[in-house]
Amino acid sequence: MSDATIPSKSIELRVLRYRPASDREPVLVSYRVAYSDDMSVLQALQSIKDTQDGSLSFRWSCRMAVCGSCGMMINGEPKLACNTFVRDLAPDAVIIEPLQNFPIERDLVVTVGDFVKKIESIYPYIIPKVAKPVEDGAHLQTPAQMAAYESFSDCINCMLCYAACPQFGANPDFIGPGAMALLQRYNGDSRDGGRQFRLDQIHGEDGVWACTAVGICSEVCPKQVDPANAVNQNKTNSALDFFLHYVQPRSQP
Amino acid sequence: MRPTILHHPAPKRSVAPVFWLLFGAGGMLSALFGPALIILTGFMLPHGWGVPANFSDFPHVLAFVRHPIGKLVVLAVIALFFWHGAERLFLTLKDMRAGPPLLLRLMTYGVAALLTLVTIALLLAIGF
């Protein structure tokens, strides 16, 4: 075993806890954890749960920034706990809170129902342009056609952009950066024919127009998805549609 | 056969794109011509630096604003700059929750609209 993996140092984690049965309001609870240089904040929380307090609740699954489950506020910034390392935060005490702008369910677990509804509202699946039976083979796509949407398909629904967005904080009905990135992922896909359905979901006050181009969504994204870019592109699309819908009558979806 | 799609009702359309496009046009114009206009009208013309003699004389300027294209240029530069500033101010004030949105709109878009109308009226009054 190399020196790096032997825990020799310790760090204080102040975790915002909320146990609905006993807490009137969320309270910071302090824990001291021994850490090694390769320990993530997620592992530190797991160590607390395993050895100090089994009731500590947090979401996690993949441990490698793929599943998007372990988003939380670490020293006030939205981060994935699995790719934030204790060594980068030491020696000061670290404050860990649930994702900002979301209702707390318990400890670090937030309610995601509204977010899921927003994702569902923009038809997050390919609506084929032309019906094509399976026996006719695959829908082909060139590398350039794939490049048009690929970066937006990297979104892992971790909601860090929602926790960072001041407009979502001010208006929980704002469709938000993540859903806009996902919309662009499908609208940019050459195989897709559902562009108008999706655009019709974002023309409102709580749609794309609630964004004031703060841009922090793209800064905090752990997958470099650039939702701010998706929002900007769709302000243009929505503005064009605003004028086109007068001259180009179309059937309601 | 087309797959069955579960349809979501479309939310009510916002009029924000109108103001956003004016904001965008004004932003583009001010970025491209704003600094040049400040240098021209603020420094070069008053001092006669690098411009032909009589360049900013009253008859010259009057001829410029009497020409239809000159009128359009002056209108675009004045009105769109104001619409740009109005949108930026409106969003900032709204974020600061400085007042009810209708009042903020009147204070920003309202001022830009009024100044646009005044500019149009003055440009017409100058004649062709």
Side-chain angles (χ1 to χ4, degrees):
Chain A
M1 197 187 260
S2 76
D3 286 351
T5 58
I6 301 168
S8 55
K9 299 159 273 192
S10 77
I11 188 163
E12 183 191 355
L13 300 187
R14 293 186 196 141
V15 183
L16 194 72
R17 298 211 56 183
Y18 175 63
R19 293 144 291 197
S22 55
D23 293 335
R24 285 177 142 266
E25 55 186 40
V27 294
L28 280 173
V29 178
S30 173
Y31 302 93
R32 187 156 277 282
V33 180
Y35 74 95
S36 52
D37 281 345
D38 59 352
M39 188 188 237
S40 66
V41 170
L42 176 63
Q43 286 171 301
L45 290 170
Q46 287 168 325
S47 130
I48 294 171
K49 190 172 174 76
D50 290 347
T51 62
Q52 300 186 43
D53 188 340
S55 73
L56 179 64
S57 300
F58 48 95
R59 288 198 178 100
W60 65 278
S61 177
C62 77
R63 317 176 314 278
M64 48 193 178
V66 172
C67 76
S69 304
C70 67
M72 50 190 74
M73 306 303 290
I74 299 176
N75 284 341
E77 278 181 53
K79 299 258 194 198
L80 294 181
C82 68
N83 73 354
T84 306
F85 287 86
V86 173
R87 61 167 188 264
D88 296 327
L89 307 165
D92 302 324
V94 179
I95 296 182
I96 300 178
E97 298 155 301
L99 278 182
Q100 204 168 273
N101 301 338
F102 289 94
I104 303 174
E105 221 159 83
R106 182 189 170 88
D107 295 341
L108 301 172
V109 176
V110 294
T111 304
V112 301
D114 279 354
F115 170 71
V116 173
K117 277 196 198 118
K118 284 169 190 171
I119 294 287
E120 284 172 353
S121 79
I122 54 98
Y123 306 89
Y125 42 84
I126 286 180
I127 301 171
K129 238 181 219 161
V130 280
K132 192 173 180 182
V134 175
E135 50 274 21
D136 288 1
H139 291 266
L140 297 180
Q141 195 163 59
T142 66
Q145 286 172 327
M146 186 173 166
Y149 70 84
E150 196 187 5
S151 68
F152 296 112
S153 75
D154 290 338
C155 174
I156 57 174
N157 299 335
C158 67
M159 309 188 297
L160 297 196
C161 53
Y162 285 76
C165 175
Q167 293 306 336
F168 176 63
N171 172 16
D173 293 328
F174 172 32
I175 191 159
M180 291 304 305
L182 202 60
L183 175 142
Q184 190 56 30
R185 179 257 169 274
Y186 290 103
N187 278 5
D189 194 315
S190 58
R191 300 163 295 184
D192 180 84
R195 183 175 189 274
Q196 195 59 48
F197 293 161
R198 295 191 195 92
L199 283 184
D200 284 342
Q201 294 296 313
I202 61 160
H203 298 317
E205 288 289 329
D206 298 327
V208 72
W209 299 108
C211 166
T212 54
V214 176
I216 197 164
C217 48
S218 295
E219 279 175 44
V220 301
C221 178
K223 308 301 279 185
Q224 286 79 48
V225 168
D226 201 356
N229 175 10
V231 172
N232 264 342
Q233 288 191 46
N234 284 294
K235 277 185 181 168
T236 311
N237 292 337
S238 180
L240 270 177
D241 194 88
F242 181 87
F243 295 102
L244 278 180
H245 92 282
Y246 289 112
V247 293
Q248 200 182 63
R250 41 178 100 94
S251 57
Q252 275 296 305
Chain B
M1 198 190 80
R2 237 181 137 73
T4 317
I5 299 163
L6 177 69
H7 286 302
H8 311 284
K12 193 171 160 281
R13 200 181 275 272
S14 161
V15 292
V18 175
F19 301 107
W20 182 76
L21 285 171
L22 287 167
F23 163 76
M28 182 70 85
L29 265 191
S30 58
L32 289 175
F33 298 112
L37 279 175
I38 291 171
I39 292 172
L40 258 173
T41 57
F43 300 99
M44 291 175 71
L45 296 184
H47 292 96
W49 295 338
V51 291
N54 309 329
F55 185 75
S56 56
D57 281 359
F58 185 75
H60 275 123
V61 177
L62 188 65
F64 180 74
V65 293
R66 277 188 164 162
H67 193 279
I69 293 175
K71 283 189 198 300
L72 279 181
V73 169
V74 171
L75 177 65
V77 164
I78 294 176
L80 291 176
F81 276 37
F82 271 112
W83 282 105
H84 178 77
E87 171 83 347
R88 195 69 271 168
L89 259 179
F90 169 67
L91 293 177
T92 305
L93 292 170
K94 188 173 146 240
D95 283 354
M96 292 165 67
R97 302 203 180 110
L102 182 67
L103 176 71
L104 299 181
R105 283 195 174 93
L106 279 174
M107 283 165 56
T108 52
Y109 299 159
V111 170
L114 187 71
L115 287 164
T116 302
L117 291 176
V118 169
T119 309
I120 292 172
L122 286 175
L123 284 170
L124 290 175
I126 288 167
F128 290 84

